[in-house]
C-alpha cells in the first residue's frame, strides 16, 4: 500500500501492470507518494479511474501526509511553488522550440555523414564530422529525455512514439530500458539501492560522507569494519565517474570499415 493525498491505496497486484514499472511503486511501499504521483502523472483524470478500485482507506487526522525523512515546511513550500508555476503556465511546452531542436540534430547528423562522404576521411573532415555527429547525439539524448518525461506533447502516447524513434532508431538504445531506470531515478533521487544512477559500483561512484559510508558497508554485506577503514573511507569519500562518449569511437569504426568504399574529394 501507499498514500496519495491522504488516501491509502492497495497496489500489490496493480504494481505488476503499472505502465511505469513495478519498482517505481515498490520504492514507495508503505510511504506517502503524493509528490511523486503529481510529478509523474500529467493527466490526472486518466489515472483516477484506476485509483478508485484500489482505494482501501484514508489516513487518520493525526497522521502526517509526507515522508518521515522530509521536513513538512519544506514540502509545503515546494507544493505551493509547483502550483504557482503551473498557474503561470511555465510548464507548458513550446512546440516551436522543440521543433527547432528536432530539426537541429537531424541537420547535424546528416551533415556529419555528408562531410565525410564529400571531403573524404582525412584529418580535418574526420574531425569536423565527429564534432557534428557527437553534438547531434548529445542533442538527441536530451530531446528523448524530455520526451521520456512526456514534456513535449500533452498526450503521453505521442511522446513515447517520438521517443522510440529518437532513442531506438537514431541512438540505438531501447526506450523501455531508459524509461525503466530513469523513472526510478526521479522517484527516489540520490537514494542508495533505489536510484539506479547510484547503483553502479562502489569503486566508481560515491559522494558525501553518509552515502560513501553506506556504499562501503554494503560491499562487506553488513560485516563490522574497523575504525581505521571507516575513517579512511570518510576522508576519501568523493570519487567521480569518468564518462566518455562512444559517439566518436562509433564513427571511427564505421569509417575504418568503409574506408575503401568512400568516394569523395581529397
Amino acid at each position: 500500500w501507499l498514500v496519495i493525498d491522504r488516501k491509502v491505496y492497495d497496489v500489490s497486484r496493480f504494481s505488476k501492470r503499472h505502465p511505469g514499472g513495478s519498482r517505481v511503486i515498490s520504492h514507495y511501499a508503505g510511504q506517502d507518494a503524493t509528490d511523486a504521483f503529481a510529478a509523474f502523472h500529467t493527466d490526472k483524470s486518466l489515472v483516477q479511474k484506476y485509483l478508485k478500485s484500489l482505494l482501501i482507506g484514508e489516513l487518520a487526522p493525526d497522521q502526517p501526509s509526507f515522508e518521515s525523512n522530509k521536513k513538512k515546511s519544506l514540502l509545503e513550500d515546494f507544493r505551493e511553488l509547483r502550483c504557482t508555476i503551473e498557474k503561470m503556465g511555465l510548464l507548458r511546452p513550446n512546440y516551436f522550440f522543440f521543433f527547432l531542436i528536432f530539426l537541429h540534430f537531424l541537420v547535424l547528423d546528416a551533415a556529419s555523414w555528408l562531410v565525410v562522404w564529400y571531403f573524404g576521411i582525412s584529418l580535418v573532415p574526420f574531425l569536423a564530422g565527429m564534432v557534428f555527429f557527437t553534438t547531434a547525439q548529445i542533442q538527441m539524448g536530451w530531446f528523448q529525455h524530455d520526451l521520456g518525461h512526456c514534456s513535449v506533447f500533452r498526450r503521453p502516447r505521442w511522446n513515447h512514439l517520438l521517443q522510440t524513434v529518437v532513442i531506438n532508431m537514431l541512438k540505438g538504445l531501447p526506450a523501455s530500458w531508459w524509461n525503466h531506470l530513469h523513472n526510478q531515478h526521479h522517484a527516489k533521487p540520490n537514494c542508495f539501492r533505489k536510484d539506479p544512477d547510484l547503483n553502479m559500483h562502489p569503486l566508481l561512484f560515491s559522494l558525501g560522507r553518509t552515502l560513501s559510508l553506506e556504499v562501503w558497508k554494503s560491499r562487506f554485506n553488513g560485516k563490522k569494519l574497523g575504525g581505521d577503514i571507516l575513517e579512511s573511507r570518510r576522508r576519501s569519500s568523493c570519487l567521480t565517474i569518468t564518462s566518455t562518449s562512444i559517439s566518436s569511437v562509433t564513427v571511427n569504426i564505421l569509417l575504418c570499415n568503409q574506408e575503401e568504399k568512400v568516394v569523395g574529394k581529397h
Side-chain angles (χ1 to χ4, degrees), residues 14-182:
F14 175 77
S15 62
K16 299 179 181 179
R17 298 182 287 111
H18 183 234
S22 60
R23 288 192 178 183
V24 177
I25 292 184
S26 64
H27 289 339
Y28 278 93
Q31 301 178 20
D32 188 286
T34 302
D35 296 301
F37 176 83
F40 276 97
H41 304 92
T42 54
D43 190 353
K44 303 297 189 298
S45 59
L46 176 64
V47 186
Q48 288 298 330
K49 64 179 182 179
Y50 294 99
L51 290 179
K52 291 181 180 179
S53 60
L54 304 176
L55 181 64
I56 58 175
E58 294 187 19
L59 289 179
D62 59 336
Q63 292 294 322
S65 182
F66 57 90
E67 295 182 64
S68 57
N69 61 338
K70 294 184 178 180
K71 294 182 179 180
K72 180 180 180 180
S73 58
L74 183 62
L75 281 178
E76 291 177 347
D77 290 342
F78 172 78
R79 292 171 181 174
E80 183 180 354
L81 176 62
R82 181 180 180 86
C83 292
T84 303
I85 291 176
E86 290 179 344
K87 291 179 180 179
M88 294 174 64
L90 299 180
L91 298 182
R92 296 172 187 169
N94 187 327
Y95 296 114
F96 182 69
F97 168 79
F98 285 113
F99 171 75
L100 290 180
I101 293 294
F102 183 70
L103 184 65
H104 168 67
F105 65 68
L106 286 182
V107 171
L108 285 175
D109 191 58
S112 65
W113 297 106
L114 287 175
V115 166
V116 175
W117 173 79
Y118 188 78
F119 294 101
I121 57 173
S122 56
L123 180 60
V124 175
F126 172 76
L127 292 178
M130 183 177 66
V131 170
F132 289 152
F133 185 80
T134 304
T135 305
Q137 288 292 313
I138 294 173
Q139 293 294 334
M140 290 178 194
W142 287 113
F143 185 68
Q144 73 84 26
H145 172 273
D146 292 337
L147 290 168
H149 280 283
C150 297
S151 301
V152 180
F153 302 107
R154 292 185 178 179
R155 296 187 177 183
R157 182 177 299 178
W158 294 358
N159 287 281
H160 295 318
L161 178 61
L162 187 55
Q163 184 197 24
T164 301
V165 172
V166 174
I167 190 172
N168 284 36
M169 299 178 62
L170 298 180
K171 290 186 67 67
L173 296 172
S176 57
W177 165 80
W178 186 90
N179 289 331
H180 175 69
L181 296 179
H182 200 65

Side-chain angles (χ1 to χ4, degrees), residues 204-209 212 233-240:
L204 293 180
F205 183 88
S206 182
L207 183 63
R209 293 186 177 182
S212 174
R233 183 59 181 172
R234 288 193 184 98
R235 293 174 183 174
S236 59
S237 61
C238 182
L239 301 177
T240 58

